[in-house]
Amino acid sequence: MKLIGLNREEVKRAFTEGLITIAVYGMGKMGLPLAAVFADHGANVIGVDINERVVEAINRGENHVKEEPGLDELVRKNVEAGRLKATTDGVWAAKQADVMVILVPTLTDERGNLKLESVYDVAEKISQGLERGDIVITEATMPPGTTESLIPILEKSGLKLGDFGLAHAPERTMTGTAIRDITGQYPKIVGANNEKTLEAVTGIYELINRKSVIPMSSIKAAEAVKVFEGIYRDVNIALANELAMWCEEHGLDALEVFQAANTQPYCHLHMPGAGVGGHCIPVYPWFVINLAKKTNPRLTKTAREINDSMPHHVVELTVKGLNEAGRPLKESNILVLGLTFRGGVREFMKAAAKPIIEELKEWGANVYAYDPLCTPEDAERFGAEWKEDFKDVDAIVITADHREFKELNLERIAEEVRSRVVVDGRNVVDAEKAKKHGFIYLRVGKI
Ligand SMILES: NC(=O)c1ccc[n+]([C@@H]2O[C@H](COP(=O)([O-])OP(=O)(O)OC[C@H]3O[C@@H](n4cnc5c(N)ncnc54)[C@H](O)[C@@H]3O)[C@@H](O)[C@H]2O)c1
């Protein structure tokens, strides 16, 4: 059923009565939870992905996004009920659907150049199945202006914008909390090409999101919301990192200072650490930097530089700790704990461990690695040897805040290692406990 022209209450009714077909392009960490939530509210949902294994798994009722609590059940139940299926055929899905949601990766390369090929590929496919009254929604995080750059591609269908609707409704969530966030942790932001599309899209998101919808005056404004949220985090983490390094120089514990400062409501100092990774926070600043023409986004660029320099700082802390223990870095045995970019998620994009391992090796250290979510092959890809014990280790360098690392038995580890040095890049080890067991303990912001 086409939604343009319906008011939000009519949209909600049609949705729950199973009269709407939605195609979600990209069945990854964000797309599958969204598709399952749509289906669970009554829509007929077609998940589209280029990865055949992902499509086959979904059609068997299996969830492949293991980090997402509750998703196993939501996928199984809705596939069994016939409300959720998947395909690799994006044109066929567009022909069936009344609403098409684009949720494929939006990335940059190492130098910050935008890589939006998958978004344009999906738009091409949608254009071959687009019908009057359909609505195309981008949910992937977009450099502001990108959603509207799809108009010429979508108009290859022979329709004009207005015959079909276009909207941006960014995912405001994280891997591991997608279902919670989609269904009501934060309000949904929506910008659309006109009032009619905005009204219909508002109906969809009001239905699935208890925190309701914030309508924006334009698609571009909605895109900027999500990008700015990420930049806010990056810049503020960079500030925390800068002040943490200043604290190291001045014999202060940054966390003690930050925690006290943050009791004042205008101060929100973030957590300093070994670096900023993932597909989001280190990527979105480039969306603004690369699209700036007259403005020079100096602060955003500097923040990126500071955060990218943190792995090097962790190496410096490691050298310092080893020196205190009377060992040179060359030929020391370093165990890096954590290959993923953050705790609890098997995701490697811009993980701090990578540059840390590379630099330690350049200086002649023997580098080992362990991560509870990874395999020896993952360690090998990072250039380190897999190691599950602490025997003969000279320094432990923590680069991801996995739960298991918060529970390290330092008393036992102290007996196994050769030198007692802990460099805590994620604030997971209790400094007093480490000292009690004879460790030299260094944390970003406290040495
Ligand atoms: N992961 C997060 O925490 C998070 C949070 C908020 C926003 N986002 C944004 O959501 C978007 C998707 O991220 P994700 O984490 O789900 O990515 P992901 O890598 O987990 O999944 C992307 C999926 O898209 C598929 N895909 C790639 N190209 C395709 C194409 N041309 N056609 C169909 N399918 C294609 C891939 O096979 C994969 O299954 C990105 O824009 C990201 O910035 C991610």
Side-chain angles (χ1 to χ4, degrees), residues 25-31 48-51 54 103-106 118 121-122 125 140-141 171 173-175 226 279-280 284:
Y25 291 77
M27 285 287 95
K29 294 182 286 296
M30 298 296 112
V48 185
D49 205 287
I50 48 172
N51 184 333
V54 163
L103 201 33
V104 290
T106 44
S118 49
D121 172 59
V122 169
K125 287 180 178 140
T141 311
E171 278 285 356
T173 177
M174 281 198 307
T175 309
K226 172 70 195 182
H279 284 108
C280 301
Y284 303 161

Side-chain angles (χ1 to χ4, degrees), residues 397-413:
V397 177
I398 304 175
T399 56
D401 53 345
H402 292 306
R403 185 178 41 79
E404 291 80 352
F405 301 157
K406 295 178 186 160
E407 295 159 2
L408 290 176
N409 182 341
L410 293 173
E411 189 174 2
R412 187 180 55 74
I413 292 168

Side-chain angles (χ1 to χ4, degrees), residues 161-236:
L161 181 66
D163 298 335
F164 63 91
L166 185 64
H168 181 65
E171 278 285 356
R172 305 174 83 200
T173 177
M174 281 198 307
T175 309
T177 57
I179 294 173
R180 181 200 72 175
D181 299 341
I182 291 166
T183 56
Q185 187 71 5
Y186 321 106
K188 191 74 178 172
I189 305 292
V190 178
N193 66 303
N194 61 22
E195 280 302 320
K196 278 186 180 171
T197 308
L198 187 62
E199 177 70 13
V201 174
T202 298
I204 296 175
Y205 290 108
E206 274 189 358
L207 181 69
I208 66 166
N209 186 321
R210 289 185 305 278
K211 283 273 164 69
S212 196
V213 170
I214 298 179
M216 301 296 293
S217 61
S218 68
I219 291 175
K220 201 167 179 176
E223 290 171 325
V225 171
K226 172 70 195 182
V227 174
F228 288 7
E229 286 171 12
I231 294 175
Y232 174 87
R233 295 271 299 153
D234 202 42
V235 169
N236 282 284

Side-chain angles (χ1 to χ4, degrees), residues 71-293:
L71 191 57
D72 284 351
E73 171 59 11
L74 214 55
V75 171
R76 190 194 54 71
K77 177 178 138 196
N78 285 290
V79 170
E80 269 175 20
R83 285 189 298 265
L84 175 62
K85 55 172 156 312
T87 179
T88 53
D89 189 342
V91 176
W92 175 80
K95 285 180 180 159
Q96 312 304 309
D98 310 303
V99 178
M100 296 85 163
V101 177
I102 304 180
L103 201 33
V104 290
T106 44
L107 300 169
T108 56
D109 65 16
E110 281 301 309
R111 310 176 123 215
N113 298 309
L114 305 177
K115 286 173 64 188
L116 300 173
E117 295 85 354
S118 49
V119 174
Y120 292 120
D121 172 59
V122 169
E124 287 285 350
K125 287 180 178 140
I126 291 175
S127 75
Q128 294 174 49
L130 198 64
E131 291 171 1
R132 187 176 294 275
D134 284 346
I135 298 177
V136 179
I137 305 173
T138 56
E139 278 224 21
T141 311
M142 295 288 189
T146 306
T147 300
E148 282 160 312
S149 77
L150 304 180
I151 295 170
I153 304 175
L154 297 171
E155 288 186 343
K156 286 184 189 174
S157 59
L159 300 170
K160 288 278 163 216
L161 181 66
D163 298 335
F164 63 91
L166 185 64
H168 181 65
E171 278 285 356
R172 305 174 83 200
T173 177
M174 281 198 307
T175 309
T177 57
I179 294 173
R180 181 200 72 175
D181 299 341
I182 291 166
T183 56
Q185 187 71 5
Y186 321 106
K188 191 74 178 172
I189 305 292
V190 178
N193 66 303
N194 61 22
E195 280 302 320
K196 278 186 180 171
T197 308
L198 187 62
E199 177 70 13
V201 174
T202 298
I204 296 175
Y205 290 108
E206 274 189 358
L207 181 69
I208 66 166
N209 186 321
R210 289 185 305 278
K211 283 273 164 69
S212 196
V213 170
I214 298 179
M216 301 296 293
S217 61
S218 68
I219 291 175
K220 201 167 179 176
E223 290 171 325
V225 171
K226 172 70 195 182
V227 174
F228 288 7
E229 286 171 12
I231 294 175
Y232 174 87
R233 295 271 299 153
D234 202 42
V235 169
N236 282 284
I237 293 168
L239 175 65
N241 282 332
E242 184 168 279
L243 295 178
M245 290 187 281
W246 190 90
C247 285
E248 288 172 12
E249 193 186 322
H250 292 271
L252 295 170
D253 178 347
L255 290 189
E256 181 198 359
V257 179
F258 290 6
Q259 274 158 15
N262 284 348
T263 58
Q264 202 263 20
Y266 305 109
C267 187
H268 304 281
L269 286 163
H270 287 31
M271 181 66 77
V276 175
H279 284 108
C280 301
I281 297 176
V283 173
Y284 303 161
W286 293 107
F287 291 180
V288 160
I289 295 167
N290 280 335
L291 294 176
K293 292 200 179 86

